[in-house]
Amino acid sequence: MSVSGVILIVLVFGGAGFFLSRARARAIEAHGAKMHSRPHYYGCWTCLLIVLPSLLFLFFWNIGVNIYAERQTLAHISYAAGGDIERSDSYAPLQRILGQKGIASTRQSENYMVQGGIELAAGIKNLRQAGAFAALLLSVIGFLAGFWGTKAKKRARNRVERVTLWGLIVASTFAILTTMGIVLSMLFQTISFFRSVPLSNFFLGTVWDPRFSVMALEGMLGRFGLIPLLAGTLYIAFVAMLFAVPIGLFAAVYMAEYATPRMRGIIKPLLEILAGIPTIVYGFFALVAVGPFLRDLSASITGGQGFIMAQSVLTAGLVMGIMLTPFVSSLSDDIITAVPRSLRDGSLGLGATQSETIKRVVLPAALPGIVAALLLTASRAIGETMIVVLAAGVAASLTLNPFEAMTTITVKIVNQLTGDLEFNSPQTLVAFALGMTLFVLTLFMNIFALYIVRKYQEHYE
């Protein structure tokens, strides 16, 4: 029986245990007994007893089986190949047999590999079947313990809440450990990069030219200047924010203060649809429509060759601004709506008009939250990749002209990790240094946004 089949059976059995235990609790309550918890808590406890032990056992059992298969594979190769376990030509066919991809793929391998693979595959299959049977047996035991343990004095609610609390703790810990793993993986590779390239070459360099293999013959390390990439990242994000902030804020003010409930129910979903469009679609839109339009518009103005390139900072910033508009409007709308109604009524009662109330009361009260929302939106703009690739190009130039092409840190990360490169070469390791720089930049922006919110947030009774 496959793992997915066992999981499905356990889940169905858990659902059945929930309904049966709840029905038993209701029957006990109907006979006049005073239950400690509501009936659905007894059903939830039975469901947890069925599902959690079974799935946890199945998870760790399969991990153990995989580790056992790996070790047995290496041991078999080591014995048959005279202790040479580095023979990749022997390891791959045996892995194909263990993966149940067919013995026909091993015809070119040695005979002992086929026989050894068949024996190991059979043993591992038996282990998996035993694990599936044990998981199902645990689910049956959990059902019996939960169902027959459904009694009036049983503290089912306390137990369910305790398991839920531990589940939340485990989920939070997993999220923290995942973040730490991501940071540490980038950090170690970044340290390896700076062992080959000086810090000044990276942080103070103004030229991005990482063609390492050609320059190594001349005794040079290559040019890994961060400044053009950082300037392009901030420049494109700045242009995008110039477009997204006014439109998003005006839309938020209209929806929160002027629009009727019916109109708000129409406009807000339409704006939020833009947030669900994949960024690659925005990139195609910039490449096919916006870029050529700006180029032809500039050509018609000058009467000759246009001064706006199809791939430029303006093109990328304009399309990215369209993408960021729903983020600004949705976050700002929620913040403005959260301002207490009493502040508006007090201002209107003193004779202020609606526009004066918005400008002098509502917006100042919502300003810390709006600033934090804009900083979070800017972090989203800095991390964008696909729009920049198609709309701004890949040229790492250092310019102030928004009509010319530039590139960003994220684009160069993709470029450096694309292709057949050695993982320990500076060309590849520089992607981790760029990623670490981008991570620190967005981290500081998010910390500053939280600082603004906590320092200037208004508390109302």
Side-chain angles (χ1 to χ4, degrees), residues 136-388:
L136 293 177
L137 182 61
L138 282 176
S139 64
V140 173
I141 295 174
F143 169 75
L144 295 176
F147 181 77
W148 295 112
T150 302
K151 299 178 181 179
K153 296 182 179 181
K154 185 175 182 178
R155 299 177 178 271
R157 177 178 60 83
N158 302 59
R159 298 184 180 185
V160 171
E161 290 178 351
R162 191 179 299 112
V163 173
T164 304
L165 176 61
W166 279 104
L168 296 175
I169 294 174
V170 170
S172 303
T173 305
F174 182 77
I176 295 173
L177 292 178
T178 302
T179 304
M180 292 178 60
I182 294 173
V183 174
L184 292 177
S185 64
M186 290 194 300
L187 181 61
F188 291 147
Q189 300 298 333
T190 302
I191 293 174
S192 300
F193 169 74
F194 286 121
R195 290 174 181 170
S196 303
V197 178
L199 290 172
S200 58
N201 190 327
F202 181 74
F203 288 105
L204 302 179
T206 58
V207 177
W208 176 263
D209 188 16
R211 290 179 291 181
F212 198 89
S213 58
V214 176
M215 296 185 177
L217 299 176
E218 303 176 359
M220 300 176 61
L221 290 177
R223 299 180 180 181
F224 298 90
L226 174 66
I227 293 180
L229 306 183
L230 184 60
T233 301
L234 298 178
Y235 199 0
I236 294 175
F238 175 73
V239 174
M241 294 297 290
L242 282 181
F243 181 81
V245 171
I247 296 179
L249 283 180
F250 290 156
V253 171
Y254 173 75
M255 289 188 296
E257 301 295 331
Y258 292 101
T260 61
R262 180 180 179 182
M263 185 63 67
R264 174 186 170 87
I266 297 174
I267 295 177
K268 191 172 176 108
L270 290 177
L271 276 175
E272 292 179 349
I273 286 177
L274 296 175
I277 299 177
T279 56
I280 187 65
V281 176
Y282 284 107
F284 286 143
F285 175 64
L287 182 66
V288 175
V290 179
F293 171 77
L294 294 177
R295 180 193 58 199
D296 297 341
L297 179 63
S298 63
S300 63
I301 293 175
T302 59
Q305 186 176 3
F307 57 89
I308 301 179
M309 300 175 61
Q311 289 185 324
S312 62
V313 174
L314 181 61
T315 303
L318 187 63
V319 177
M320 194 184 300
I322 297 174
M323 182 196 70
L324 296 176
T325 297
F327 291 94
V328 178
S329 63
S330 180
L331 292 174
S332 301
D333 174 57
D334 295 337
I335 293 167
I336 293 174
T337 306
V339 175
R341 184 66 192 177
S342 58
L343 296 180
R344 298 177 176 84
D345 295 338
S347 176
L348 296 173
L350 292 175
T353 62
Q354 186 176 9
S355 62
E356 291 174 341
T357 300
I358 295 172
K359 289 186 295 184
R360 299 183 180 181
V361 177
V362 178
L363 290 182
L367 186 60
I370 293 176
V371 172
L374 297 183
L375 290 174
L376 293 176
T377 306
S379 299
R380 175 71 176 82
I382 289 174
E384 179 53 43
T385 304
M386 295 309 303
I387 294 177
V388 181

Side-chain angles (χ1 to χ4, degrees), residues 60-80:
F60 289 108
W61 179 267
N62 280 278
I63 291 178
V65 169
N66 292 333
I67 295 175
Y68 171 78
E70 185 80 14
R71 292 184 177 180
Q72 288 297 106
T73 301
L74 295 177
H76 182 78
I77 294 174
S78 177
Y79 173 77

Side-chain angles (χ1 to χ4, degrees), residues 418-430:
T418 303
D420 189 11
L421 297 174
E422 296 181 1
F423 192 79
N424 58 352
S425 65
Q427 301 103 310
T428 304
L429 293 177
V430 70

Side-chain angles (χ1 to χ4, degrees), residues 22-93:
R22 187 181 65 175
R24 178 179 172 86
R26 287 178 175 175
I28 295 174
E29 188 177 23
H31 285 79
K34 185 177 181 181
M35 307 296 290
H36 174 273
S37 307
R38 296 179 65 85
H40 68 274
Y41 282 109
Y42 295 93
C44 289
W45 177 244
T46 302
C47 181
L48 290 175
L49 288 179
I50 295 173
V51 173
L52 282 184
S54 302
L55 296 187
L56 287 176
F57 172 81
L58 191 64
F59 175 75
F60 289 108
W61 179 267
N62 280 278
I63 291 178
V65 169
N66 292 333
I67 295 175
Y68 171 78
E70 185 80 14
R71 292 184 177 180
Q72 288 297 106
T73 301
L74 295 177
H76 182 78
I77 294 174
S78 177
Y79 173 77
D84 185 11
I85 64 174
E86 300 296 332
R87 294 180 56 182
S88 59
D89 57 336
S90 299
Y91 184 75

